[in-house]
Amino acid sequence: MPPSRYSTSAAWRVPRWTRSRAAGVTRGAVYWHFRNKEHLFEALCERHLDRMHDEMNQVLQHDSPQAWDELLETYIRFLEQLAVDGPERQFLSILHLKCEDASDMEGITLILKRYQYLWHRQTLQALHLGQRHGQLPATLQVEQACILQMATFLGLLTNWLGAPDSHDLPGMARAMVHATIDMMRSPALQSA
């Protein structure tokens, strides 16, 4: 796996309240299906994160002007779905808000690095696609735009997960996604 500047050196531990008791099963039953914490965490990531990656990959394979609009709709659907998908919202809340640093969880850190790398790669591909088809400026500094896009999307997501009643994310999703794309036209992100 290639290194990613978006990785963290700390590992992650799921809080105590999410353990098997909270799920209504015994610890033995959990480990009957999962070899260890890393295997369990990877299964959760696959369930909740692979759908978004798969949808983006399908769209990126088209490489057509219509693919850009489909990518934006994929982001919008993801944000809208969070309001109605309780398990997805709960998993992302734990992932982004309630994980503890722990030096003994290197396997989980590697899983997170892999997903961060995949997201970074797909975002770069999406921005290049937008450039090729004229939806983004040809002078866009794609690497910088990618960092801004990811940070903005992650900030929007984390802000809402921390206080879901503070604003209507599904109602704002379309405007927010298009606003992040408008940022890509800023002179500060264009090459000289």
Side-chain angles (χ1 to χ4, degrees):
M1 175 185 70
S4 171
R5 78 183 79 190
Y6 307 104
S7 62
T8 174
S9 60
W12 299 90
R13 175 178 288 147
V14 177
R16 292 179 188 175
W17 62 266
T18 61
R19 293 187 179 164
S20 58
R21 266 179 292 163
V25 296
T26 66
R27 188 174 184 177
V30 171
Y31 285 108
W32 172 261
H33 295 285
F34 302 101
R35 294 184 302 272
N36 51 38
K37 291 176 188 174
E38 290 84 3
H39 190 230
L40 172 62
F41 185 76
E42 187 163 28
L44 288 168
C45 286
E46 287 172 0
R47 176 178 179 168
H48 295 287
L49 301 178
D50 281 358
R51 178 178 50 85
M52 177 72 166
H53 287 293
D54 292 345
E55 283 184 38
M56 286 188 69
N57 274 337
Q58 288 176 2
V59 174
L60 287 167
Q61 289 175 4
H62 297 151
D63 195 7
S64 68
Q66 295 78 23
W68 179 251
D69 291 332
E70 291 174 31
L71 280 169
L72 298 185
E73 290 300 320
T74 300
Y75 274 112
I76 292 165
R77 275 193 310 275
F78 175 79
L79 292 173
E80 290 174 340
Q81 188 65 25
L82 282 179
V84 296
D85 190 333
E88 181 135 340
R89 184 173 62 244
Q90 184 177 22
F91 172 73
L92 291 174
S93 293
I94 291 168
L95 183 64
H96 292 291
L97 303 175
K98 299 176 182 170
C99 287
E100 303 170 7
D101 286 346
S103 59
D104 63 339
M105 301 296 285
E106 187 176 336
I108 289 177
T109 298
L110 292 175
I111 295 166
L112 287 173
K113 284 182 182 181
R114 185 176 71 233
Y115 278 97
Q116 289 168 339
Y117 169 76
L118 289 172
W119 184 28
H120 180 248
R121 189 190 58 162
Q122 286 183 321
T123 303
L124 281 175
Q125 288 177 303
L127 294 173
H128 281 297
L129 183 140
Q131 264 188 323
R132 276 194 305 278
H133 296 291
Q135 287 102 345
L136 293 175
T139 56
L140 180 66
Q141 296 182 57
V142 176
E143 182 64 39
Q144 290 180 11
C146 180
I147 293 167
L148 179 62
Q149 174 74 14
M150 291 176 67
T152 303
F153 191 80
L154 186 58
L156 178 65
L157 177 65
T158 304
N159 185 35
W160 183 80
L161 289 169
D165 295 331
S166 66
H167 58 278
D168 176 20
L169 182 64
M172 298 169 57
R174 184 167 301 279
M176 290 297 180
V177 168
H178 286 282
T180 64
I181 300 308
D182 288 345
M183 290 188 307
M184 303 301 144
R185 295 179 179 89
S186 165
L189 288 175
Q190 309 312 309
S191 57

